[in-house]
Amino acid sequence: MINIYENYSLAKHNTFGIDVNCRQFIEFDSIYDAQEAVKHIKYGEEFMIVGAGSNLLLTKDYPHTVFHSQIKMIQERELKNVANIKADENAVLVDCGSGETFDDVIAWCVEKDIHGLENLSLIPGDVGSSAVQNIGAYGVEVGKFIFSIEVVDVNTGEYRRIFPGLCQYGYRHSIFKDAWYNRYIITHVTFKLSRKFSPVLDYGNVRGALAEKLNCSADEVDNRVTPQLLRDAIIEIRRNKLPNPVEYGNAGSFFMNPVVDKDTLEEIKERCPELKYFEVSMPEYPGDKRDGTYYKIPAGWLIDQCGLKGMNMGKAGVWHNQALILYNRGGAQGNEIVALMKHVQAAVKEKFGIELKPEVNVI
């Protein structure tokens, strides 16, 4: 079924809660309807695909068409029906509609004893956008678990199944964000998960939070943690650090953590020996000359070192418990959030010589 609305408010479709209108809003709830929906776009015409709007900052009315998936399904699939997959007695596939809330998928998986996504609990957004953004948290990125993505070509209406080897997954990156931007509408995502619980605990304060919850030493956590306990701990950590978007509009992490090479890291460490950083391996994309080891610096730490945590600028603010979060204090317009973004970027640039790039799409 296709629903078409004219001059439609996007206030409920962006977690900042910015009330702006689009010219036309089209919802669809099947592959067939997605194929019908794209017929409303002329070749070369501008449009936007929106999930829950958890990675979106709207600054003005959008005088074009917005597509929104309402495809709802979560379903386990037998591996014996899948060709050319490596034998793995613990592996299980989970097919999901792109309009499903991603956290609902994690809750469903934990209940069904299917594992791998627990560290991504409570990240806002839909399944479709998770595959675009390669969402990640606490040492886990969703791209590692994607088995296939079903899409409809916007220009031709053709259905296609895409496998992750083509997606160029990297830190908060996929090909859907550049070369394939607005080329496809995602209808379904299949995750390859496991019946075996192999928790990732040594990132941030996850292990410490579990030790406190279990009333045991950090070394004992591995033998006592359960999938539900890990999910509960992640949710508790996020709720303690991040504002509830229902109360204060926000998009979670506003900036990407900057990634620098070794020479740049050493230059910054000479001025700031207390600098925090993590070693990361950068994927080699076609035509990309980067290789070797790079270093990820927490953007929230950089912002905090500039004394900006908890600061307000009009109706926009930097969250007091996590400097990586810019939020709507109530009634802010998109341009007010942008002004705060630029202020934070300028402060970090002046102190560290690092340019923060927004993770949020500013429209």
Side-chain angles (χ1 to χ4, degrees), residues 19-236:
D19 188 9
V20 297
N21 289 353
C22 64
R23 180 179 62 81
Q24 183 175 238
F25 187 84
I26 302 179
E27 288 183 323
F28 54 88
D29 59 12
S30 70
I31 292 175
Y32 171 78
D33 289 331
Q35 292 173 312
E36 289 297 306
V38 299
K39 293 179 181 178
H40 290 264
I41 295 294
K42 297 178 181 178
Y43 184 80
E45 184 179 355
E46 184 176 338
F47 63 92
M48 182 164 56
I49 303 167
V50 171
S54 58
N55 209 47
L56 184 65
L57 175 58
L58 299 167
T59 61
K60 56 188 176 182
D61 285 341
Y62 186 73
H64 307 286
T65 297
V66 171
F67 291 109
H68 177 65
S69 172
Q70 281 287 82
I71 300 177
K72 303 284 188 178
M73 68 163 280
I74 310 174
Q75 180 177 295
E76 180 181 342
R77 180 147 51 105
E78 292 291 336
L79 284 178
K80 64 183 180 182
N81 297 326
V82 180
N84 302 321
I85 189 170
K86 287 184 178 180
D88 183 346
E89 62 181 9
N90 295 309
V92 56
L93 299 182
V94 177
D95 298 323
C96 302
S98 57
E100 284 285 353
T101 299
F102 185 76
D103 189 58
D104 289 347
V105 172
I106 301 176
W108 185 92
C109 288
V110 170
E111 183 179 344
K112 300 292 184 180
D113 199 28
I114 298 172
H115 311 300
L117 301 177
E118 292 87 355
N119 288 41
L120 305 181
S121 293
L122 210 64
I123 293 180
D126 292 348
V127 164
S129 59
S130 76
V132 173
Q133 301 294 338
N134 189 23
I135 59 173
Y138 301 107
V140 173
E141 289 184 337
V142 76
K144 174 185 175 182
F145 298 98
I146 290 178
F147 177 76
S148 67
I149 302 169
E150 295 173 60
V151 301
V152 168
D153 190 307
V154 172
N155 294 324
T156 67
E158 294 179 342
Y159 162 85
R160 179 182 177 187
R161 185 186 294 274
I162 295 171
F163 293 93
L166 296 175
C167 294
Q168 299 182 4
Y169 282 125
Y171 172 59
R172 301 299 183 272
H173 178 272
S174 78
I175 195 171
F176 297 106
K177 297 183 72 172
D178 45 48
W180 287 355
Y181 177 72
N182 275 5
R183 176 176 173 181
Y184 298 109
I185 288 179
I186 294 176
T187 62
H188 297 80
V189 179
T190 296
F191 299 101
K192 184 183 176 185
L193 303 171
S194 180
R195 294 289 185 191
K196 182 181 179 181
F197 180 49
S198 303
V200 177
L201 306 178
D202 294 315
Y203 196 99
N205 59 336
V206 174
R207 183 178 292 276
L210 283 165
E212 183 175 349
K213 186 178 287 288
L214 290 165
N215 193 26
C216 68
S217 70
D219 293 336
E220 296 176 289
V221 168
D222 297 82
N223 295 325
R224 296 182 59 180
V225 66
T226 66
Q228 188 62 59
L229 275 173
L230 176 56
R231 172 168 162 78
D232 291 344
I234 295 292
I235 289 174
E236 187 174 333

